[in-house]
Short mmCIF file of all heavy atoms in Angstrom, two decimals:
data_model
loop_
_atom_site.label_atom_id
_atom_site.label_comp_id
_atom_site.label_asym_id
_atom_site.label_seq_id
_atom_site.Cartn_x
_atom_site.Cartn_y
_atom_site.Cartn_z
N ASP Z 1 -44.35 -79.35 -87.78
CA ASP Z 1 -43.22 -79.59 -88.68
C ASP Z 1 -42.00 -80.12 -87.93
O ASP Z 1 -41.26 -80.97 -88.45
CB ASP Z 1 -42.85 -78.30 -89.41
CG ASP Z 1 -43.93 -77.85 -90.38
OD1 ASP Z 1 -44.74 -78.70 -90.80
OD2 ASP Z 1 -43.98 -76.66 -90.71
N ALA Z 2 -41.74 -79.60 -86.73
CA ALA Z 2 -40.59 -80.06 -85.96
C ALA Z 2 -40.67 -81.54 -85.64
O ALA Z 2 -39.68 -82.28 -85.75
CB ALA Z 2 -40.46 -79.24 -84.68
N ALA Z 3 -41.85 -82.01 -85.27
CA ALA Z 3 -42.04 -83.43 -84.97
C ALA Z 3 -41.87 -84.27 -86.24
O ALA Z 3 -41.25 -85.34 -86.21
CB ALA Z 3 -43.42 -83.65 -84.37
N PHE Z 4 -42.40 -83.76 -87.35
CA PHE Z 4 -42.28 -84.52 -88.59
C PHE Z 4 -40.82 -84.64 -89.04
O PHE Z 4 -40.39 -85.72 -89.47
CB PHE Z 4 -43.09 -83.83 -89.68
CG PHE Z 4 -43.00 -84.49 -91.02
CD1 PHE Z 4 -43.64 -85.71 -91.25
CD2 PHE Z 4 -42.28 -83.94 -92.06
CE1 PHE Z 4 -43.57 -86.34 -92.48
CE2 PHE Z 4 -42.20 -84.56 -93.29
CZ PHE Z 4 -42.85 -85.76 -93.49
N GLU Z 5 -40.04 -83.59 -88.90
CA GLU Z 5 -38.63 -83.63 -89.30
C GLU Z 5 -37.86 -84.65 -88.47
O GLU Z 5 -36.93 -85.30 -88.94
CB GLU Z 5 -38.01 -82.25 -89.18
CG GLU Z 5 -38.53 -81.26 -90.20
CD GLU Z 5 -38.01 -79.86 -89.99
OE1 GLU Z 5 -37.28 -79.65 -88.98
OE2 GLU Z 5 -38.34 -78.96 -90.77
N LEU Z 6 -38.23 -84.80 -87.18
CA LEU Z 6 -37.56 -85.76 -86.32
C LEU Z 6 -38.03 -87.19 -86.57
O LEU Z 6 -37.24 -88.14 -86.46
CB LEU Z 6 -37.81 -85.40 -84.85
CG LEU Z 6 -37.16 -84.13 -84.34
CD1 LEU Z 6 -37.69 -83.78 -82.95
CD2 LEU Z 6 -35.63 -84.28 -84.29
N ALA Z 7 -39.30 -87.36 -86.93
CA ALA Z 7 -39.87 -88.70 -87.01
C ALA Z 7 -39.79 -89.33 -88.39
O ALA Z 7 -39.76 -90.57 -88.51
CB ALA Z 7 -41.35 -88.66 -86.58
N PHE Z 8 -39.71 -88.52 -89.44
CA PHE Z 8 -39.82 -89.07 -90.80
C PHE Z 8 -38.53 -89.74 -91.26
O PHE Z 8 -37.45 -89.15 -91.16
CB PHE Z 8 -40.20 -87.97 -91.79
CG PHE Z 8 -40.36 -88.48 -93.19
CD1 PHE Z 8 -41.37 -89.35 -93.52
CD2 PHE Z 8 -39.48 -88.06 -94.18
CE1 PHE Z 8 -41.52 -89.81 -94.84
CE2 PHE Z 8 -39.62 -88.51 -95.49
CZ PHE Z 8 -40.64 -89.39 -95.81
N ASP Z 9 -38.65 -90.96 -91.75
CA ASP Z 9 -37.56 -91.69 -92.38
C ASP Z 9 -38.03 -92.09 -93.76
O ASP Z 9 -38.93 -92.93 -93.90
CB ASP Z 9 -37.20 -92.93 -91.57
CG ASP Z 9 -35.96 -93.64 -92.12
OD1 ASP Z 9 -35.64 -93.45 -93.30
OD2 ASP Z 9 -35.35 -94.43 -91.37
N PRO Z 10 -37.46 -91.51 -94.85
CA PRO Z 10 -37.96 -91.79 -96.19
C PRO Z 10 -37.79 -93.24 -96.63
O PRO Z 10 -38.42 -93.65 -97.61
CB PRO Z 10 -37.12 -90.84 -97.09
CG PRO Z 10 -35.88 -90.57 -96.29
CD PRO Z 10 -36.30 -90.58 -94.86
N PHE Z 11 -36.99 -94.01 -95.90
CA PHE Z 11 -36.73 -95.39 -96.30
C PHE Z 11 -37.58 -96.40 -95.51
O PHE Z 11 -37.40 -97.60 -95.67
CB PHE Z 11 -35.25 -95.72 -96.11
CG PHE Z 11 -34.33 -94.83 -96.91
CD1 PHE Z 11 -33.59 -93.83 -96.30
CD2 PHE Z 11 -34.23 -94.97 -98.28
CE1 PHE Z 11 -32.76 -92.99 -97.02
CE2 PHE Z 11 -33.40 -94.14 -99.01
CZ PHE Z 11 -32.67 -93.15 -98.40
N VAL Z 12 -38.48 -95.92 -94.67
CA VAL Z 12 -39.32 -96.81 -93.87
C VAL Z 12 -40.78 -96.62 -94.27
O VAL Z 12 -41.42 -95.62 -93.90
CB VAL Z 12 -39.14 -96.54 -92.36
CG1 VAL Z 12 -40.05 -97.45 -91.53
CG2 VAL Z 12 -37.69 -96.72 -91.95
N PRO Z 13 -41.36 -97.60 -95.01
CA PRO Z 13 -42.78 -97.51 -95.36
C PRO Z 13 -43.65 -98.01 -94.21
O PRO Z 13 -43.16 -98.70 -93.29
CB PRO Z 13 -42.89 -98.44 -96.57
CG PRO Z 13 -41.82 -99.47 -96.35
CD PRO Z 13 -40.69 -98.74 -95.65
N ALA Z 14 -44.92 -97.72 -94.27
CA ALA Z 14 -45.85 -98.11 -93.20
C ALA Z 14 -45.93 -99.63 -93.04
O ALA Z 14 -46.26 -100.12 -91.97
CB ALA Z 14 -47.23 -97.51 -93.47
N SER Z 15 -45.67 -100.37 -94.12
CA SER Z 15 -45.77 -101.83 -94.05
C SER Z 15 -44.61 -102.49 -93.35
O SER Z 15 -44.68 -103.65 -92.94
CB SER Z 15 -45.89 -102.41 -95.47
OG SER Z 15 -44.77 -102.02 -96.26
N HIS Z 16 -43.50 -101.76 -93.17
CA HIS Z 16 -42.30 -102.34 -92.56
C HIS Z 16 -41.79 -101.56 -91.36
O HIS Z 16 -40.71 -101.85 -90.85
CB HIS Z 16 -41.18 -102.44 -93.60
CG HIS Z 16 -41.45 -103.43 -94.69
ND1 HIS Z 16 -42.30 -103.15 -95.74
CD2 HIS Z 16 -41.01 -104.70 -94.88
CE1 HIS Z 16 -42.36 -104.21 -96.54
NE2 HIS Z 16 -41.58 -105.15 -96.04
N GLY Z 17 -42.53 -100.58 -90.91
CA GLY Z 17 -42.08 -99.79 -89.77
C GLY Z 17 -43.06 -98.64 -89.54
O GLY Z 17 -44.21 -98.71 -89.95
N VAL Z 18 -42.56 -97.61 -88.90
CA VAL Z 18 -43.40 -96.45 -88.59
C VAL Z 18 -43.15 -95.37 -89.62
O VAL Z 18 -42.04 -94.86 -89.74
CB VAL Z 18 -43.09 -95.93 -87.17
CG1 VAL Z 18 -43.95 -94.68 -86.87
CG2 VAL Z 18 -43.34 -97.00 -86.13
N GLN Z 19 -44.18 -95.04 -90.36
CA GLN Z 19 -44.09 -93.99 -91.38
C GLN Z 19 -44.77 -92.73 -90.84
O GLN Z 19 -45.97 -92.71 -90.62
CB GLN Z 19 -44.76 -94.42 -92.68
CG GLN Z 19 -44.68 -93.38 -93.78
CD GLN Z 19 -45.24 -93.88 -95.11
OE1 GLN Z 19 -45.38 -95.10 -95.29
NE2 GLN Z 19 -45.53 -92.99 -96.02
N ALA Z 20 -43.96 -91.68 -90.63
CA ALA Z 20 -44.49 -90.43 -90.09
C ALA Z 20 -45.21 -89.64 -91.18
O ALA Z 20 -44.77 -89.60 -92.33
CB ALA Z 20 -43.37 -89.59 -89.50
N VAL Z 21 -46.34 -89.04 -90.80
CA VAL Z 21 -47.13 -88.24 -91.72
C VAL Z 21 -47.45 -86.92 -91.03
O VAL Z 21 -47.85 -86.90 -89.86
CB VAL Z 21 -48.45 -88.95 -92.10
CG1 VAL Z 21 -49.28 -88.09 -93.05
CG2 VAL Z 21 -48.16 -90.31 -92.71
N ARG Z 22 -47.28 -85.82 -91.75
CA ARG Z 22 -47.62 -84.51 -91.20
C ARG Z 22 -49.13 -84.32 -91.23
O ARG Z 22 -49.75 -84.41 -92.28
CB ARG Z 22 -46.92 -83.42 -92.02
CG ARG Z 22 -47.27 -82.00 -91.60
CD ARG Z 22 -46.75 -81.68 -90.22
NE ARG Z 22 -46.85 -80.27 -89.92
CZ ARG Z 22 -47.90 -79.69 -89.33
NH1 ARG Z 22 -48.97 -80.42 -89.01
NH2 ARG Z 22 -47.90 -78.39 -89.07
N LEU Z 23 -49.72 -84.09 -90.07
CA LEU Z 23 -51.15 -83.87 -89.97
C LEU Z 23 -51.53 -82.57 -90.69
O LEU Z 23 -50.92 -81.53 -90.43
CB LEU Z 23 -51.57 -83.80 -88.50
CG LEU Z 23 -53.06 -83.81 -88.22
CD1 LEU Z 23 -53.64 -85.22 -88.42
CD2 LEU Z 23 -53.34 -83.35 -86.80
N ARG Z 24 -52.53 -82.62 -91.56
CA ARG Z 24 -52.95 -81.43 -92.31
C ARG Z 24 -54.24 -80.85 -91.74
O ARG Z 24 -54.52 -79.67 -91.96
CB ARG Z 24 -53.16 -81.79 -93.77
CG ARG Z 24 -51.94 -82.37 -94.47
CD ARG Z 24 -50.89 -81.34 -94.77
NE ARG Z 24 -49.87 -81.85 -95.67
CZ ARG Z 24 -49.91 -81.76 -96.99
NH1 ARG Z 24 -50.92 -81.14 -97.57
NH2 ARG Z 24 -48.96 -82.27 -97.73
N GLY Z 25 -55.09 -81.66 -91.14
CA GLY Z 25 -56.34 -81.15 -90.60
C GLY Z 25 -57.48 -81.10 -91.60
O GLY Z 25 -58.49 -80.46 -91.35
N ASP Z 26 -57.33 -81.79 -92.73
CA ASP Z 26 -58.40 -81.88 -93.72
C ASP Z 26 -58.35 -83.25 -94.36
O ASP Z 26 -57.73 -84.19 -93.81
CB ASP Z 26 -58.31 -80.74 -94.74
CG ASP Z 26 -57.06 -80.84 -95.63
OD1 ASP Z 26 -56.22 -81.74 -95.38
OD2 ASP Z 26 -56.91 -80.02 -96.55
N ASP Z 27 -58.94 -83.41 -95.53
CA ASP Z 27 -59.00 -84.75 -96.12
C ASP Z 27 -57.71 -85.18 -96.80
O ASP Z 27 -57.65 -86.29 -97.36
CB ASP Z 27 -60.19 -84.85 -97.08
CG ASP Z 27 -61.50 -85.01 -96.34
OD1 ASP Z 27 -61.48 -85.63 -95.25
OD2 ASP Z 27 -62.54 -84.52 -96.81
N HIS Z 28 -56.67 -84.36 -96.76
CA HIS Z 28 -55.33 -84.86 -97.11
C HIS Z 28 -54.97 -86.02 -96.18
O HIS Z 28 -54.27 -86.97 -96.57
CB HIS Z 28 -54.28 -83.77 -96.95
CG HIS Z 28 -54.25 -82.79 -98.09
ND1 HIS Z 28 -54.96 -81.60 -98.07
CD2 HIS Z 28 -53.59 -82.81 -99.28
CE1 HIS Z 28 -54.73 -80.93 -99.20
NE2 HIS Z 28 -53.91 -81.65 -99.96
N ASP Z 29 -55.43 -85.95 -94.92
CA ASP Z 29 -55.09 -86.98 -93.94
C ASP Z 29 -55.69 -88.33 -94.30
O ASP Z 29 -55.02 -89.37 -94.29
CB ASP Z 29 -55.57 -86.57 -92.55
CG ASP Z 29 -54.87 -85.30 -92.04
OD1 ASP Z 29 -53.72 -85.07 -92.43
OD2 ASP Z 29 -55.49 -84.55 -91.28
N ARG Z 30 -56.96 -88.35 -94.67
CA ARG Z 30 -57.55 -89.66 -95.00
C ARG Z 30 -57.15 -90.11 -96.41
O ARG Z 30 -57.23 -91.30 -96.72
CB ARG Z 30 -59.07 -89.62 -94.83
CG ARG Z 30 -59.86 -88.79 -95.82
CD ARG Z 30 -61.34 -89.15 -95.67
NE ARG Z 30 -62.23 -88.20 -96.29
CZ ARG Z 30 -63.27 -88.59 -97.05
NH1 ARG Z 30 -63.51 -89.86 -97.25
NH2 ARG Z 30 -64.08 -87.68 -97.56
N LEU Z 31 -56.75 -89.17 -97.27
CA LEU Z 31 -56.25 -89.56 -98.59
C LEU Z 31 -55.01 -90.46 -98.46
O LEU Z 31 -54.90 -91.49 -99.12
CB LEU Z 31 -55.95 -88.33 -99.43
CG LEU Z 31 -55.44 -88.59 -100.85
CD1 LEU Z 31 -56.46 -89.33 -101.67
CD2 LEU Z 31 -55.06 -87.29 -101.54
N VAL Z 32 -54.07 -90.06 -97.59
CA VAL Z 32 -52.88 -90.90 -97.36
C VAL Z 32 -53.29 -92.27 -96.81
O VAL Z 32 -52.78 -93.29 -97.24
CB VAL Z 32 -51.92 -90.19 -96.37
CG1 VAL Z 32 -50.74 -91.10 -96.02
CG2 VAL Z 32 -51.41 -88.89 -96.97
N TYR Z 33 -54.21 -92.26 -95.87
CA TYR Z 33 -54.71 -93.50 -95.28
C TYR Z 33 -55.32 -94.41 -96.33
O TYR Z 33 -55.05 -95.63 -96.36
CB TYR Z 33 -55.75 -93.12 -94.21
CG TYR Z 33 -56.34 -94.24 -93.42
CD1 TYR Z 33 -55.54 -95.17 -92.75
CD2 TYR Z 33 -57.73 -94.36 -93.29
CE1 TYR Z 33 -56.10 -96.20 -92.00
CE2 TYR Z 33 -58.31 -95.38 -92.53
CZ TYR Z 33 -57.49 -96.28 -91.90
OH TYR Z 33 -58.05 -97.28 -91.14
N ASP Z 34 -56.11 -93.85 -97.25
CA ASP Z 34 -56.71 -94.66 -98.32
C ASP Z 34 -55.67 -95.12 -99.33
O ASP Z 34 -55.71 -96.26 -99.81
CB ASP Z 34 -57.78 -93.83 -99.05
CG ASP Z 34 -59.04 -93.62 -98.22
OD1 ASP Z 34 -59.15 -94.26 -97.13
OD2 ASP Z 34 -59.89 -92.80 -98.61
N LEU Z 35 -54.71 -94.25 -99.67
CA LEU Z 35 -53.69 -94.60 -100.66
C LEU Z 35 -52.88 -95.81 -100.21
O LEU Z 35 -52.48 -96.64 -101.05
CB LEU Z 35 -52.76 -93.41 -100.89
CG LEU Z 35 -53.25 -92.27 -101.76
CD1 LEU Z 35 -52.29 -91.11 -101.73
CD2 LEU Z 35 -53.47 -92.73 -103.19
N LEU Z 36 -52.62 -95.94 -98.92
CA LEU Z 36 -51.77 -97.02 -98.42
C LEU Z 36 -52.57 -98.22 -97.96
O LEU Z 36 -52.03 -99.13 -97.31
CB LEU Z 36 -50.90 -96.49 -97.26
CG LEU Z 36 -49.91 -95.39 -97.67
CD1 LEU Z 36 -49.09 -94.94 -96.48
CD2 LEU Z 36 -48.99 -95.86 -98.78
N GLY Z 37 -53.86 -98.27 -98.28
CA GLY Z 37 -54.64 -99.45 -98.01
C GLY Z 37 -55.05 -99.64 -96.57
O GLY Z 37 -55.22 -100.78 -96.10
N HIS Z 38 -55.19 -98.55 -95.80
CA HIS Z 38 -55.67 -98.58 -94.41
C HIS Z 38 -54.77 -99.40 -93.48
O HIS Z 38 -55.20 -100.37 -92.85
CB HIS Z 38 -57.10 -99.10 -94.33
CG HIS Z 38 -58.08 -98.26 -95.08
ND1 HIS Z 38 -59.39 -98.63 -95.30
CD2 HIS Z 38 -57.95 -97.04 -95.70
CE1 HIS Z 38 -60.01 -97.69 -95.98
NE2 HIS Z 38 -59.14 -96.72 -96.25
N PRO Z 39 -53.49 -98.99 -93.35
CA PRO Z 39 -52.61 -99.64 -92.37
C PRO Z 39 -52.96 -99.22 -90.97
O PRO Z 39 -53.81 -98.34 -90.78
CB PRO Z 39 -51.22 -99.12 -92.78
CG PRO Z 39 -51.51 -97.77 -93.33
CD PRO Z 39 -52.83 -97.88 -94.04
#
């Protein structure tokens, strides 16, 4: 959580910069990957 709070910028999408995602350790992780079209 500490890393996510430092890295996340709500105004920067993955298509235009670095979008931070909190690792969950299950298929929530690949769901985000699929939702954004595999950046």
Side-chain angles (χ1 to χ4, degrees):
D1 293 338
F4 179 72
E5 290 174 358
L6 292 170
F8 181 66
D9 185 340
F11 301 106
V12 179
S15 58
H16 292 78
V18 178
Q19 181 174 342
V21 180
R22 176 67 169 90
L23 190 75
R24 302 285 192 92
D26 66 355
D27 283 328
H28 282 93
D29 297 330
R30 70 167 165 135
L31 180 63
V32 175
Y33 183 52
D34 288 350
L35 283 173
L36 297 181
H38 299 172

